[in-house]
């Protein structure tokens, strides 16, 4: 401001030096313009043709042109009745460069500089540069970096341009050496500082950075301190003073905060005043503060939020609830009044979508529960946001409301989305000692051409299996949300040279299914499919129990009609990285009468996410699966008893093993456990029952025939799985929608049937897992260490596991 005042004074002196008799301006000529147009000058010039110009008028005009900050010099002259304005333009900023900034991102700095007027293409103002220098220093001071230096450099270029370079030396943040709370008697330092972001240097400071001083952090901590006391009845608590001292080297901070605890207050009375809209009895059910209880500010705030939420759900989008506490210091009581101002009831005029460059508006609109022309409802808005987030098409979803200009009862709702890749493309090549060279490729799109339909095609090839799959799903076959899907697949396996159960299959299948919504969180899935599976066993290599089972069936080619019925209850708040809510599901697959083998399988799962503070999220998951044959086309007891008797006649010592390993499910439908999506730390599908070729029992190390070969995993009809994960708020993974890391513990196994369940046979592992939403598909990498296993599992343990390219 001093510089502007000096320029204005200089302009006034120049004008005084240019003394003339008043005259009528017949024309105006501007000399010296190169970048700024004459029209722009005329817009700011308070003189027009035909005006009489006086000395005072000339001074006002010169000051007006200086205030534009376009010119470093302005001079008025006269040629007859023509006013001649001679100007010298300020240079323009051709290039703006920032160097040395690490704590504050360059984009954030440039955005702030642009607001001040320092940006490429704009007129250069030395005063603005000085202000920028001071502002940057202030921002770094707020981050505790008192050794920061900000040095601007200006280089003159041709054509009246300049290059501005701002060199920043951030230095190191000052560390908190002492943090003292003075005056606390009711609670210890440890209790009241438990939630502080600021702390003295400790063994976790390298990660949390809590010992780095920041004015914002300290202010937030003092707010937490006040909340801590007021939530426990200290209604007159106060922070008397705060002193922050810095060491001479600007590397150490010493903080003292003096507090006054006050006394514990009880609630004497709670009143509801204002325009309640709803009956007072109903509104009082939303008040969590009761007479006679200890005062609790958190309960007061929860009450105000609950009342505003209920009013917002019936159209009062701008309702206010003001808590007014009245303290009686003699009786140490509080009379609390909640004053309700509902404001004008509003309805939604329009719902507008922004940011959906690929996704059709109709795809978003069908997920909206807030309808145009209806009363505003915050609950409907919140539900709409969750439904959009769970589509998986968008990185962020933000919903905003704004009053329609000129009205008090209409709002427009704007839904802003940031799209992300809703599909994945995978092509990979790998190698393992069991599969040999593995080739795989897939293309999937959960938002096909922006329509909301999903489509995928995939293929995989290794030394012993080939798989092809094709899937399509339209989630809105009808306007009510009934979806239809189709799936076709072909697979061919040959486990003849592996440690797995030795058999070969060649399967083809096709199915169609309907998705039927029954509520906002519940849905049904009904399907019908047909499949053909040719199963080949190898005498002398395949386990005898599998050969006996196939002989009893009497067919190598298995034809199956499958009926599917499933239910799910989904309350998760996101698709890729939910932080709260959960999923309950149950599904059953039945091989219908007329199939070669009749059986049913029931699979259930329950999981939930809980935010547990400071960015940590707890996830628990449990799964149970069970299946069994039924009817005459299952293996009857009489038939199996006859088979066991025949085996006993051939080899009396092995007949009990054959009977014990009787299949409750067709072995190609068995459940398996182990793998990156299951019990991590064990190879895919290797946990559970294992058998020797001749029907004998493997030894404790899982070997058969005196150590000649390993027993073969064949799966079972009963599966139990449990998982606990804690997602960690790592500083280098700020965006959990892109990547997140978790510590996990997996427990589970597969049993021959549910009667064989034995908790001592459960396997368990623990480790760290990275989930990354890579540009061409999701990636999971797990480092797992089994801590509960048997000697027979050692051959199948696997420390590092990963999967890439499919949704999870």
């Amino acid at each position: 401001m001093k510089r502007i005042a000096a320029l204005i004074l200089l302009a006034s002196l120049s004008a005084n030096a240019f003394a003339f008799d008043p005259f009528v301006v017949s024309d105006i000529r501007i000399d010296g313009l190169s970048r700024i147009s004459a029209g722009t000058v005329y817009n700011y010039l308070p003189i027009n043709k035909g005006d009489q110009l006086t000395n005072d008028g000339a001074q006002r005009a010169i000051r007006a042109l200086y205030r534009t900050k376009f010119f470093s010099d302005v001079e008025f002259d006269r040629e007859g009745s023509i006013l001649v304005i001679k100007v010298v333009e300020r240079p323009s900023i051709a290039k703006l460069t920032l160097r040395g900034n690490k704590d504050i991102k360059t984009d954030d700095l440039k955005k702030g500089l642009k607001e001040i007027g320092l940006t490429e293409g704009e007129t250069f103002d030395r005063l603005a540069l000085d202000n920028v220098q001071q502002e940057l220093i202030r921002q770094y001071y707020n981050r505790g970096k008192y050794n920061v230096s900000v040095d601007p450099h200006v280089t003159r270029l041709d054509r009246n341009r300049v290059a501005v370079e701002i060199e920043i030396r951030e230095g190191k943040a000052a560390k908190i050496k002492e943090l003292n709370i003075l005056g606390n008697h009711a609670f210890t330092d440890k209790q009241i500082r438990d939630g502080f972001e600021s702390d003295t240097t400790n063994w976790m400071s390298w990660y949390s950075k809590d010992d780095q001083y920041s004015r914002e952090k300290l202010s937030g901590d003092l707010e937490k301190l006040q909340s801590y006391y007021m939530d426990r009845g200290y209604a007159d608590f106060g922070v008397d003073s705060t002193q922050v001292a810095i060491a001479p080297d600007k590397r150490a901070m010493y903080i003292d905060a003096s507090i006054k605890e006050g006394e514990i207050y009880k609630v004497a009375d709670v009143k509801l005043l204002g325009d309640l809209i709803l009956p007072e009895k109903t509104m009082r059910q939303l008040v969590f503060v009761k007479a006679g209880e200890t005062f609790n500010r958190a309960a007061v705030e929860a009450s105000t939020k609950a009342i505003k939420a209920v009013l917002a759900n019936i159209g009062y989008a701008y309702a206010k609830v003001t808590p007014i506490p009245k303290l009686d210091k003699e009786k140490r009581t509080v009379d609390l009044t909640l004053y309700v101002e509902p404001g004008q009831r509003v309805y939604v005029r329009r719902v507008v979508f922004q940011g959906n460059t690929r996704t059709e508006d109709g795809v978003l609109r069908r997920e909206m529960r807030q309808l145009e022309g209806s009363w505003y409802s915050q609950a409907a808005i919140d539900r709409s946001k969750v439904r959009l987030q769970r589509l998986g098409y968008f990185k962020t979803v933000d919903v905003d409301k704004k009053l329609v200009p000129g009205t008090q009862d209409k709002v427009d709702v704007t839904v802003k989305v940031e799209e992300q890749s809703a599909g994945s493309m995978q092509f990979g090549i790998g190698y393992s000692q069991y599969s040999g060279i593995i080739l795989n490729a897939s293309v999937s799109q959960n938002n096909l051409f922006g329509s909301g339909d999903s489509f995928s095609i995939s293929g995989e090839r290794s030394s012993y299996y080939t798989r092809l799959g094709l899937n399509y799903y339209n989630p809105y076959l009808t306007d009510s949300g009934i979806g239809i899907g189709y799936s076709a697949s072909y697979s061919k396996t040959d486990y003849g040279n592996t440690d797995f159960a030795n058999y070969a299959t060649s399967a083809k299948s096709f199915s169609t299914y309907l998705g039927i919504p029954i509520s906002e969180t519940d849905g049904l899935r009904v399907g019908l499919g047909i499949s053909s599976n040719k199963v080949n066993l190898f005498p002398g290599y395949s386990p005898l129990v599998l050969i006996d089972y196939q002989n009893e069936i009497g067919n190598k080619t298995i034809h199956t009609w499958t009926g599917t019925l499933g239910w799910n209850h989904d309350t998760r708040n996101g698709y890729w990285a939910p932080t709260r809510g959960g999923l309950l599901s149950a599904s059953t697959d039945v091989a219908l009468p007329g199939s070669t083998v009749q059986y049913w399988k029931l699979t259930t799962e329950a999981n939930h996410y809980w935010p547990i503070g400071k960015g940590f999220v707890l996830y628990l998951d449990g799964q149970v699966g069970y299946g069994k044959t039924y009817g005459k086309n299952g293996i009857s007891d009489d038939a199996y008893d006859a088979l066991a008797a025949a085996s006993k006649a051939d080899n009396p010592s092995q007949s009990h093993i054959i009977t014990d390993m009787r299949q409750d499910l067709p072995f190609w439908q068995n459940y398996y456990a182990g793998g990156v999506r299951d019990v991590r730390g064990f190879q895919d599908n290797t946990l559970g029952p294992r058998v020797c070729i001749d029907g004998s029992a493997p030894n404790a190390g899982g070997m058969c025939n005196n150590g000649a070969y390993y027993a073969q995993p064949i799966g079972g009809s009963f599966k139990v799985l449990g998982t606990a994960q804690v997602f960690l708020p790592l500083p280098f993974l700020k965006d959990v929608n892109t990547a997140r890391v978790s510590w996990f513990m997996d427990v589970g196994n597969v049993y021959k049937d549910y009667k064989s369940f034995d908790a001592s046979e459960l396997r368990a592992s623990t480790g760290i897992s990275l989930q990354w939403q890579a540009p061409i598909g999701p990636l999971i990498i797990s480092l797992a260490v089994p801590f509960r296993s048997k000697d027979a599992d050692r051959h199948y343990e696997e420390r590092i596991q990963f999967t890439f390219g499919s949704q999870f």
Side-chain angles (χ1 to χ4, degrees):
M1 293 301 295
K2 292 180 179 179
R3 185 176 177 86
I4 293 175
L7 292 174
I8 293 175
L9 178 60
L10 177 63
S12 299
L13 294 175
S14 300
N16 290 332
F18 171 48
F20 53 80
D21 294 330
F23 71 99
V24 176
V25 178
S26 63
D27 199 2
I28 300 173
R29 190 178 80 229
I30 304 173
D31 295 339
L33 295 178
S34 60
R35 180 171 47 84
I36 301 170
S37 67
T40 300
V41 179
Y42 291 141
N43 288 334
Y44 289 100
L45 188 66
I47 301 172
N48 297 307
K49 294 179 181 179
D51 292 348
Q52 186 176 35
L53 182 63
T54 63
N55 284 331
D56 290 340
Q59 292 180 12
R60 287 194 300 271
I62 291 175
R63 287 194 292 267
L65 293 181
Y66 269 112
R67 280 194 293 267
T68 65
K69 299 182 181 180
F70 294 155
F71 311 109
S72 60
D73 189 28
V74 179
E75 182 181 345
F76 277 21
D77 202 350
R78 174 182 177 181
E79 293 182 2
S81 61
I82 299 175
L83 174 63
V84 179
I85 303 176
K86 299 177 182 179
V87 298
V88 177
E89 291 182 350
R90 292 181 185 273
S92 64
I93 302 174
K95 187 176 182 180
L96 176 61
T97 306
L98 295 161
R99 300 187 187 280
N101 55 299
K102 296 178 181 178
D103 196 42
I104 306 177
K105 294 181 180 179
T106 298
D107 291 343
D108 294 337
L109 284 176
K110 285 192 172 182
K111 183 178 179 181
L113 298 181
K114 184 176 182 180
E115 294 175 355
I116 300 175
L118 194 68
T119 185
E120 293 179 359
E122 294 294 327
T123 301
F124 174 69
D125 182 1
R126 183 72 201 193
L127 179 62
L129 184 59
D130 293 341
N131 291 337
V132 165
Q133 183 180 13
Q134 297 304 315
E135 175 62 21
L136 289 179
I137 291 175
R138 186 191 67 81
Q139 290 188 31
Y140 278 101
Y141 276 9
N142 290 340
R143 287 166 168 79
K145 294 192 172 183
Y146 291 95
N147 285 314
V148 67
S149 64
V150 179
D151 298 318
H153 304 282
V154 180
T155 304
R156 293 282 178 177
L157 303 177
D158 58 350
R159 294 176 298 169
N160 198 24
R161 299 177 304 153
V162 296
V164 178
E165 180 181 352
I166 300 176
E167 185 177 359
I168 301 172
R169 296 182 182 88
E170 294 183 339
K172 293 184 177 181
K175 301 294 182 67
I176 301 173
K177 296 301 180 182
E178 291 184 10
L179 176 55
N180 302 312
I181 306 297
L182 308 176
N184 57 303
H185 305 290
F187 304 102
T188 65
D189 285 0
K190 183 178 179 181
Q191 287 176 309
I192 62 179
R193 287 172 51 182
D194 184 54
F196 276 24
E197 292 186 38
S198 304
D199 200 357
T200 55
T201 303
N202 55 76
W203 69 277
M204 281 294 292
S205 295
W206 65 271
Y207 165 71
S208 63
K209 309 298 182 185
D210 55 359
D211 64 340
Q212 293 186 4
Y213 172 74
S214 166
R215 185 180 301 173
E216 285 80 4
K217 282 201 304 184
L218 181 59
S219 297
D221 290 337
L222 294 178
E223 285 290 332
K224 291 177 183 178
L225 181 61
Q226 185 178 32
S227 297
Y228 184 90
Y229 273 92
M230 298 194 76
D231 291 347
R232 288 159 178 78
Y234 294 86
D236 57 351
F237 170 86
V239 178
D240 289 340
S241 63
T242 304
Q243 294 182 349
V244 180
I246 186 170
D249 62 358
K250 299 183 179 180
R251 297 291 300 278
M253 305 294 297
Y254 302 88
I255 303 172
D256 292 325
S258 179
I259 65 173
K260 180 183 178 182
E261 290 183 327
E263 303 291 341
I264 296 178
Y265 284 73
K266 297 283 187 179
V267 178
D269 191 19
V270 180
K271 298 178 182 178
L272 284 170
L273 299 179
D275 188 358
L276 303 185
I277 300 298
L278 299 175
E280 183 174 347
K281 182 178 179 180
T282 301
M283 298 294 274
R284 282 199 172 272
Q285 294 176 357
L286 305 174
V287 179
F288 309 118
V289 183
K290 308 299 181 184
E293 296 179 347
T294 300
F295 177 78
N296 187 319
R297 189 173 74 170
V300 175
E301 292 175 351
S303 302
T304 61
K305 289 180 180 178
I307 293 173
K308 288 194 291 185
V310 167
L311 293 177
N313 291 341
I314 56 175
Y316 296 92
Y318 299 97
K320 295 181 181 179
V321 180
T322 306
I324 307 173
K326 183 178 180 182
L327 304 185
D328 187 330
K329 295 188 176 181
E330 292 183 0
K331 297 180 180 180
R332 297 177 185 171
T333 59
V334 179
D335 287 333
L336 180 64
T337 300
L338 298 177
Y339 191 78
V340 181
E341 299 175 88
Q344 181 71 40
R345 193 179 188 188
V346 300
Y347 66 90
V348 175
R349 183 186 70 165
R350 295 175 58 198
V351 176
V352 181
F353 302 101
Q354 295 179 359
N356 53 314
T357 57
R358 293 191 302 270
T359 307
E360 299 173 1
D361 273 15
V363 174
L364 282 76
R365 194 170 296 279
R366 66 195 185 191
E367 302 297 332
M368 294 296 297
R369 294 302 177 257
Q370 173 65 67
L371 303 179
E372 294 179 342
S374 63
W375 293 116
Y376 178 90
S377 169
Q378 189 60 51
I381 292 289
D382 294 341
R383 183 59 191 167
S384 301
K385 182 176 180 179
V386 169
R387 290 181 65 91
L388 289 171
Q389 288 173 331
R390 282 170 37 186
L391 288 176
Y393 311 159
F394 310 114
K395 187 175 181 180
T396 59
V397 178
D398 296 309
V399 184
D400 193 18
K401 64 179 183 294
K402 189 175 182 180
L403 278 171
V404 176
T407 69
Q408 294 296 322
D409 63 348
K410 300 177 186 177
V411 296
D412 286 338
V413 172
T414 302
V415 181
K416 298 179 181 179
V417 299
E418 182 181 350
E419 290 188 313
Q420 65 180 2
S421 175
S424 64
M425 179 177 64
Q426 170 192 354
F427 178 79
I429 181 170
Y431 176 82
S432 81
Q433 58 181 320
Y434 302 104
S435 307
I437 295 177
I438 305 171
L439 299 174
N440 55 70
S442 70
V443 176
S444 66
Q445 177 57 252
N446 291 337
N447 188 15
L448 188 63
F449 306 123
S451 66
D453 297 356
S454 62
F455 170 83
S456 68
I457 183 170
S458 62
E460 193 168 8
R461 179 71 183 271
S462 75
S463 62
Y464 66 84
Y465 63 83
T466 300
R467 294 172 185 165
L468 297 172
L470 182 67
N471 294 279
Y472 172 80
Y473 184 65
N474 175 4
Y476 276 85
L477 176 67
T478 68
D479 292 339
S480 61
I482 295 178
I484 188 169
Y486 306 94
S487 178
S489 67
Y490 169 78
S491 65
K492 186 176 181 180
T493 62
D494 184 353
Y495 297 104
N497 295 311
T498 70
D499 287 331
F500 304 110
N502 286 332
Y503 64 90
T505 64
S506 178
K508 295 170 286 187
S509 67
F510 175 80
S511 63
T512 183
Y513 52 92
L514 294 175
I516 305 172
I518 55 178
S519 74
E520 280 297 310
T521 57
D522 296 79
L524 293 176
R525 175 176 169 135
V526 181
L528 182 65
I530 184 173
S531 66
S532 174
N533 185 11
K534 185 176 181 179
V535 181
N536 289 318
L537 296 169
F538 314 112
Y541 296 94
S542 300
L544 184 59
V545 65
L546 306 187
I547 295 174
D548 289 342
Y549 184 88
Q550 189 177 68
N551 289 338
E552 173 61 24
I553 295 173
N555 289 283
K556 288 187 176 182
T557 301
I558 312 301
H559 299 288
T560 306
W561 290 93
T562 305
T564 300
L565 177 63
W567 164 82
N568 69 80
H569 174 75
D570 194 348
T571 60
R572 294 172 297 178
N573 67 341
Y575 174 77
W576 155 252
T579 56
R580 64 176 67 247
L583 174 68
L584 299 175
S585 66
S587 65
T588 181
D589 296 315
V590 181
L592 300 172
S595 302
T596 304
V597 181
Q598 297 172 183
Y599 63 87
W600 55 265
K601 294 176 71 174
L602 176 65
T603 304
T604 61
E605 181 178 5
N607 61 52
H608 203 88
Y609 295 84
W610 290 273
I612 54 178
K614 297 185 178 181
F616 291 87
V617 177
L618 173 65
Y619 170 71
L620 299 179
D621 177 78
Q623 300 178 35
V624 176
Y626 182 59
K628 193 174 179 62
T629 56
Y630 73 94
K632 294 182 179 180
N633 282 359
I635 296 181
S636 66
D637 291 339
D638 292 340
Y640 210 87
D641 289 343
L643 184 63
S647 177
K648 182 178 181 180
D650 295 335
N651 191 347
S653 65
Q654 304 300 326
S655 61
H656 70 284
I657 296 176
I658 295 175
T659 304
D660 288 344
M661 290 309 301
R662 173 179 177 177
Q663 299 291 305
D664 282 313
L665 267 180
F667 58 84
W668 59 89
Q669 287 292 335
N670 274 346
Y671 292 99
Y672 288 87
V676 70
R677 301 177 186 277
D678 208 305
V679 183
R680 285 161 280 196
F682 300 91
Q683 291 177 30
D684 289 353
N685 306 328
T686 58
L687 294 182
R690 303 186 183 109
V691 299
C692 295
I693 295 172
D694 59 3
S696 62
N699 63 24
M703 303 292 290
C704 298
N705 196 15
N706 297 321
Y709 58 88
Y710 284 93
Q712 300 179 17
I714 63 169
S717 63
F718 184 60
K719 178 179 179 177
V720 177
L721 175 66
T723 297
Q725 289 193 90
V726 176
F727 293 98
L728 311 175
L730 300 182
F732 53 86
L733 293 177
K734 297 294 187 182
D735 185 2
V736 297
N737 289 309
T738 300
R740 59 181 184 173
V741 169
S742 68
W743 167 80
F744 67 83
M745 183 173 68
D746 296 336
V747 180
N749 209 343
V750 169
Y751 301 85
K752 184 174 73 71
D753 54 36
Y754 76 93
K755 294 180 180 179
S756 303
F757 174 76
D758 183 354
S760 66
E761 292 295 320
L762 289 170
R763 306 299 195 261
S765 65
T766 186
I768 298 293
S769 179
L770 167 66
Q771 300 178 2
W772 176 35
Q773 187 78 333
I776 59 174
L779 169 68
I780 304 176
I781 301 176
S782 298
L783 174 61
V785 178
F787 65 88
R788 182 170 180 168
S789 61
K790 299 283 180 78
D791 289 342
D793 302 321
R794 299 289 185 262
H795 181 62
Y796 302 104
E797 291 182 1
E798 198 170 53
R799 294 292 189 269
I800 298 178
Q801 298 173 309
F802 71 92
T803 183
F804 178 76
S806 57
Q807 295 293 339
F808 52 90

